[in-house]
Amino acid sequence: MPSVVTYWVEHAWLPHPNGPAVQPEVLITAGPDGRITGVTPRSGPCPAGAVRLAGLALPGQANAHSHAFHRALRSTVQVGSGTFWTWRDTMYKVAAALDPDRYLALATAVYAEMALAGITAVGEFHYLHHGPGGTRYANPNAMGEALIEAAARAGIRITLLDSCYLSAGFGAEPTEPQLRFSDGDADAWADRAAALTDRPHARIGAAVHSVRAVPAGQLGTVAHWAATRRAPLHVHLSEQTAENDACLAAHGVTPTRLLADHGVLGPRTTAVHATHLTDEDVRLLADSSTTVCMCPTTERDLADGIGPARQLASAGCPITLGSDSHAVIDPFEEARALELDERLRTRTRGHWTAGALLRAGTSDGHASLGWPEAGRLEPGALADFCVLALDSVRTAGPSPVLGAETAVFAASAADVRHLVVGGRHVVQGGVHRLVPETGRALADAVAALR
Ligand SMILES: [Zn+2]
């Protein structure tokens, strides 16, 4: 790769003192450190030596919540009916077939699918740590290392959110499938996770799987680990009312209150789902500046309910987006679902602007994953962006000035033509340059688990 790369895009959604706006004929220059050194709108025609990209450049999308192996469940879990909990049993069967090599192959293909969808950074909420029955691999972080390597092979950034997962429920020992998730106690989790190190494309964060999976007395250990490293800390929160009921029965408080009382909430923390909250829970999350990650396509797939995203945002919580179970991988679908779900619930329109929804998927998403220098097209930021076609059957017609509205309310992942990560052209003309046969790679990796 040349040390400096200049891209010329037909249009780009750029920061502006009056709010982000679409600008024409934009030169974006990436320096040898992978950061943007210049952004010049209205630059005239593409100059010689620049890489010409047709369409609309947006900051790279941050997929703030992923379990890569759930991709192997696609369609399989759409047969018949069932509940969240029967879905989980199917998910455990897939997990049982994974080892580090198979997970490397699967995650590489899944992250390549994400790159093709415009995603430049993934937050991988990782809890499948150990071998069958809980047997330690020779390298106890072999599975986490496989995920970090998979992101490198797919050309995207990763924040490995290493998850502490110790119990089946309040006061319950892990079940057989869950033995692969457990380190025994939070101190052992902390020792293992401490051996993971940042790379140029990878950062390490922590996760509390849920208040079900980490005993209350050990929540503080995970929170302290993340605090001393100033690392992101993520936690599944109140996705199902059953979790709230069990927490109230065990501790007499809601899961949000339990997390607050043990120092888990705060500005580096992201609560994932937050579907079933009391007004007091919303206040605790907002007062602590906790981010909330909504995963609308998974939440509707699992019949979780519609989380109070607008109420949380109005109270002061940054909102981010994740594809979670990968029922689909499409950041534009996640973004529009936030607004459209709210419209169905309230029978009124206009809760979020397209710009606010893009912000959730870009700058706020990256910040929640510990990449605050990504998610904006401006000098100094990481040169991470995607380019959407404005001439597809979905996106043709509207004026390019309405590019944000087109991206959020009409485009799909299939409209992503280019992806640039750290100045490197990873997706070119809708083809992944590192994993060119991405569909085949997905098919082979999923078939290997059957
Ligand atoms: Zn999840």
Side-chain angles (χ1 to χ4, degrees):
M1 188 174 79
S3 57
V4 175
V5 189
T6 299
Y7 294 95
W8 180 94
V9 286
E10 284 181 321
H11 306 278
W13 188 69
L14 300 179
H16 188 275
N18 299 331
V22 174
Q23 303 276 359
E25 299 177 331
V26 181
L27 278 175
I28 302 172
T29 305
D33 61 354
R35 289 179 184 254
I36 296 172
T37 55
V39 178
T40 310
R42 301 179 187 278
S43 66
C46 181
V51 180
R52 185 181 188 283
L53 305 176
L56 170 71
L58 299 169
Q61 306 293 307
N63 190 359
H65 189 67
S66 162
H67 308 284
F69 76 90
H70 292 190
R71 174 63 177 79
L73 298 167
R74 191 175 291 181
S75 302
T76 306
V77 287
Q78 304 301 353
V79 178
S81 58
T83 66
F84 173 92
W85 307 102
T86 57
W87 173 91
R88 192 179 70 162
D89 289 340
T90 309
M91 182 264 281
Y92 283 173
K93 290 196 182 87
V94 169
L98 284 164
D99 61 21
D101 288 343
R102 286 173 170 175
Y103 208 1
L104 173 60
L106 176 61
T108 300
V110 174
Y111 295 158
E113 181 184 356
M114 289 186 194
L116 288 166
I119 291 161
T120 51
V122 60
E124 180 63 36
F125 195 111
H126 169 55
Y127 54 83
L128 186 59
H129 303 302
H130 305 299
T135 310
R136 274 32 177 180
Y137 291 112
N139 173 355
N141 284 313
M143 292 294 251
E145 294 288 353
L147 292 161
I148 291 171
E149 174 62 19
R153 293 187 184 188
I156 67 171
R157 301 183 197 280
I158 185 172
T159 297
L160 187 75
L161 300 159
D162 195 288
S163 177
C164 185
Y165 194 129
L166 306 172
S167 55
F170 298 91
E173 291 298 310
T175 60
E176 169 66 25
Q178 294 166 343
L179 291 173
R180 296 191 66 181
F181 313 158
S182 177
D183 292 293
D185 61 35
D187 288 328
W189 166 85
D191 287 346
R192 181 184 52 71
L196 292 160
T197 52
D198 288 356
R199 325 281 153 86
H201 80 290
R203 292 183 180 165
I204 308 302
V208 168
H209 179 275
S210 58
V211 293
R212 287 175 278 127
V214 178
Q218 300 185 58
L219 290 169
T221 303
V222 185
H224 177 74
W225 189 99
T228 55
R229 288 165 173 77
R230 306 197 58 72
L233 173 60
H234 287 221
V235 54
H236 287 127
L237 177 65
S238 294
E239 181 178 7
Q240 294 278 320
T241 53
E243 175 179 294
N244 291 1
D245 296 343
C247 189
L248 283 164
H251 296 290
V253 295
T254 65
T256 304
R257 168 55 79 181
L258 193 68
L259 294 175
D261 288 350
H262 289 84
V264 175
L265 303 185
R268 281 177 298 91
T269 297
T270 294
V272 182
H273 303 302
T275 313
H276 303 285
L277 302 183
T278 65
D279 288 346
E280 164 79 358
D281 292 338
V282 172
R283 191 184 63 73
L284 287 169
L285 291 165
D287 287 356
S288 59
S289 301
T290 298
T291 294
V292 174
C293 179
M294 294 288 169
C295 307
T297 66
T298 292
E299 288 150 5
R300 70 194 187 198
D301 181 52
L302 293 176
D304 291 337
I306 302 170
R310 184 62 261 174
Q311 186 188 356
L312 286 158
S314 297
C317 293
I319 303 294
T320 63
L321 298 165
S323 65
D324 189 4
S325 69
H326 314 312
V328 295
I329 295 177
D330 187 336
F332 309 103
E333 177 64 33
E334 303 294 344
R336 71 174 150 262
L338 214 56
E339 165 67 16
L340 298 182
D341 285 353
E342 205 70 38
R343 290 185 189 181
L344 286 174
R345 173 165 49 199
T346 61
R347 292 188 286 162
T348 59
R349 307 175 83 232
H351 305 274
W352 305 81
T353 64
L357 293 168
L358 284 177
R359 177 180 164 157
T362 57
S363 54
D364 285 348
H366 279 95
S368 79
L369 297 177
W371 298 92
E373 70 274 55
R376 293 176 308 284
L377 292 176
E378 63 183 25
L382 292 170
D384 295 3
F385 59 94
C386 63
V387 179
L388 273 181
L390 292 181
D391 59 358
S392 79
V393 290
R394 289 165 294 276
T395 59
S399 163
V401 173
L402 297 173
E405 288 75 13
T406 302
V408 169
F409 289 104
S412 81
D415 296 314
V416 173
R417 288 289 178 272
H418 300 279
L419 189 85
V420 172
V421 184
R424 181 189 197 188
H425 204 164
V426 173
V427 172
Q428 184 174 27
V431 177
H432 199 296
R433 299 176 78 189
L434 309 174
V435 189
E437 295 195 41
T438 312
R440 168 62 68 85
L442 283 160
D444 290 349
V446 172
L449 305 180
R450 292 197 188 106

